[in-house]
Amino acid sequence: MRRHWTAPALTVAAALAMSGCGLGGTETPPQQQAAPTTTSGQVTGKVSLQTWALKPKFTDYVQGVIDGFEKQHPGVEVEWLDQPGDGYSEKVLTQAASGTLPDVSNLPPDFALPLAKQGLLLDIAKADAKAMEEYVPGGLEAYRFAGLDGTFGYPWYLNTDVNYWNSELLTKYGLDPKQPPADLDALIEQARTVKEKSGGKVYLMSRKPGLSDLANAGVKLMADDGSAFTFNTPEAAALLDKYAQAYKDGLLPKDILTDTFQGNAKLFSEGKAAWTTGGGNHITSLQTDNPSLAPKVVSSAAMGTPPLYVQGLSVSAKSKNLPAAVALARWVTNAENQAAFAHLVAIFPSTKASASDPFFSKSDGTNAGDAKVTAFTSLASAKMLQPVQFNSAMDKIVNQQFALAISGDATAKEALDTAVAKCNELLNQ
């Protein structure tokens, strides 16, 4: 499933208004940035920082980061703007259209895309080339957009998914929890074993595929220039056919294709499914939701390329104080400040230097500690698997068409062709 990962203090907020919307009266041609005066020079004067729903829970943390920056650079003054969770995308659009975008803003990649298209965000690859060596590759790649030349954000904090297995159920049905499936074929094979030995009472597989699964199967999801979706390929059809056969063979819950399906994570929590995916802290939440299950859970790295969920800081290309803006974005996203944030909330830092931090890289010996290390280690190769242009309306179309293919009500090719055609209609609106 596509996940729009928002600020730690938020529930998930829809970004549909951003992804298909223009910037009102903005007349700036696509990707035509106002030539910055300079990004180097004395860091002084006023500079603004906009965050997304971090007050009041993280007020002390953010203010401490700001105080440290002002102490590091005497003469600089940071104005901190924190916007509520609801309506943040519309607020950013309004700021951009009116020319009041703050110097530095917290923008996830899908929020940054329309601004980058209008030339309103600084290309840090040109302005701050050193940054290209200091952040994990996937975090930087998240701010490079098809059809545009540049990198339009500093990765701030990250997360990814890992696999979680119910070791008690795997053992009960003759499988080895120390050697869980590492790919789809092995997953289907072991799911068949669980079905046969449990009499269909327990499932190993309990979710249907999405675009991320196609990406991991080597399917090219979008044209290089971002002009069209391209995931209706023979490889994609083959993957859907595997799921269709698994569904026909009873390896997936019958209601998995309906709106009434409880969800993979809930079935796992209830002991009705032996596998789920989740962030690096999922076992910690299980300790609250199902304390008896939590000790039985073991983790493994995500199958294929781990998915990346990223928040970042983008610099306004029209900032009147670029030296301070770039320095501030760098300061907020440096290894020390990100590590301090990660001690407060379950996130991971985006800097390469963080790899040696034992808080992330060494387990305390618990299964929760092991999962955290698995997730953190995965970030070195994690990527955003779905294009940022793929929005919630498109996700609904894909889910509907994939369900038709898996149920046998359409061929895989028919479902994929329809999904691509409808998604491209939305893309070109």
Side-chain angles (χ1 to χ4, degrees):
M1 292 181 62
R2 178 177 191 267
R3 183 189 305 176
H4 180 97
W5 189 52
T6 57
L10 295 179
T11 55
V12 175
L16 180 58
M18 284 292 291
S19 49
C21 203
L23 295 177
T26 300
E27 300 295 333
T28 309
Q31 220 183 352
Q32 180 178 322
Q33 293 188 13
T37 52
T38 180
T39 58
S40 60
Q42 187 176 6
V43 178
T44 187
K46 292 185 178 180
V47 62
S48 52
L49 170 67
Q50 178 164 268
T51 57
W52 186 5
L54 295 186
K55 288 183 178 180
K57 188 172 183 179
F58 300 104
T59 296
D60 289 345
Y61 166 75
V62 177
Q63 191 58 56
V65 172
I66 291 172
D67 291 345
F69 182 71
E70 291 179 340
K71 183 178 180 180
Q72 183 84 3
H73 301 281
V76 78
E77 179 183 345
V78 178
E79 179 187 13
W80 177 22
L81 309 169
D82 186 69
Q83 304 296 342
D86 292 341
Y88 183 58
S89 59
E90 291 83 1
K91 177 66 175 180
V92 171
L93 281 175
T94 300
Q95 292 171 329
S98 62
T100 59
L101 194 68
D103 296 297
V104 180
S105 293
N106 175 196
L107 299 176
D110 48 346
F111 284 24
L113 173 60
L115 275 64
K117 284 184 175 180
Q118 296 292 329
L120 299 178
L121 300 181
L122 186 70
D123 175 6
I124 64 170
K126 291 181 180 178
D128 185 13
K130 188 179 179 183
M132 300 301 100
E133 302 298 323
E134 297 186 6
Y135 299 88
V136 296
L140 292 167
E141 184 64 31
Y143 287 90
R144 297 176 186 137
F145 306 121
L148 298 180
D149 180 22
T151 304
F152 299 98
Y154 292 91
W156 187 3
Y157 51 90
L158 313 174
N159 215 328
T160 188
D161 285 341
V162 298
N163 292 317
Y164 291 99
W165 311 92
N166 184 322
S167 63
E168 182 179 63
L169 290 179
L170 293 183
T171 301
K172 181 177 181 180
Y173 300 121
L175 301 176
D176 185 356
K178 294 182 179 180
Q179 294 183 325
D183 57 36
L184 178 60
D185 289 338
L187 181 67
I188 292 173
E189 180 183 349
Q190 294 196 25
R192 196 176 305 279
T193 299
V194 170
K195 176 187 179 279
E196 292 171 353
K197 294 193 174 183
S198 72
K201 295 179 180 180
V202 173
Y203 296 94
L204 187 62
M205 300 171 66
S206 58
R207 70 169 183 84
K208 60 180 182 291
L211 279 198
S212 295
D213 298 279
L214 299 190
N216 265 323
V219 175
K220 186 173 183 177
L221 303 182
M222 178 167 260
D224 290 338
D225 61 2
S227 62
F229 290 101
T230 59
F231 55 84
N232 53 336
T233 70
E235 294 80 8
L239 183 138
L240 289 186
D241 284 341
K242 286 184 180 181
Y243 273 90
Q245 188 62 51
Y247 183 74
K248 183 179 179 180
D249 293 345
L251 307 187
L252 296 160
K254 281 295 180 186
D255 63 343
I256 196 172
L257 306 180
T258 69
D259 292 335
T260 60
F261 181 59
Q262 296 181 73
N264 169 265
K266 185 168 179 59
L267 289 185
F268 183 81
S269 180
E270 293 175 348
K272 298 176 182 177
W275 168 61
T276 191
T277 58
N281 66 324
H282 186 62
I283 293 177
T284 302
S285 63
L286 274 178
Q287 289 168 351
T288 300
D289 298 338
N290 189 341
S292 64
L293 172 61
K296 305 169 186 175
V297 175
V298 295
S299 61
S300 67
M303 299 178 197
T305 300
L308 180 69
Y309 310 115
V310 55
Q311 284 287 346
L313 295 180
S314 294
V315 175
S316 170
K318 297 182 180 297
S319 170
K320 296 179 180 178
N321 192 355
L322 280 173
V326 169
L328 177 59
R330 280 292 218 111
W331 176 264
V332 174
T333 61
N334 70 25
E336 182 179 357
N337 285 323
Q338 288 203 57
F341 202 8
H343 279 71
L344 302 176
V345 64
I347 56 175
F348 295 106
S350 61
T351 65
K352 292 180 179 178
S354 302
S356 60
D357 188 332
F359 180 77
F360 307 106
S361 61
K362 292 186 178 180
S363 174
D364 60 3
T366 65
N367 62 345
D370 293 344
K372 182 177 74 169
V373 171
T374 298
F376 179 67
T377 304
S378 298
L379 290 173
S381 58
K383 295 181 180 179
M384 285 187 65
L385 297 178
Q386 296 181 168
V388 294
Q389 294 90 340
F390 187 72
N391 60 37
S392 58
M394 297 172 186
D395 189 47
K396 184 176 181 179
I397 290 168
V398 166
N399 280 329
Q400 290 170 341
Q401 293 303 315
F402 282 17
L404 291 174
I406 293 168
S407 66
D409 292 330
T411 67
K413 184 179 187 306
E414 290 169 344
L416 288 163
D417 286 345
T418 300
V420 165
K422 290 186 175 182
C423 286
N424 282 335
E425 286 178 9
L426 292 177
L427 181 67
N428 294 320
Q429 284 179 0

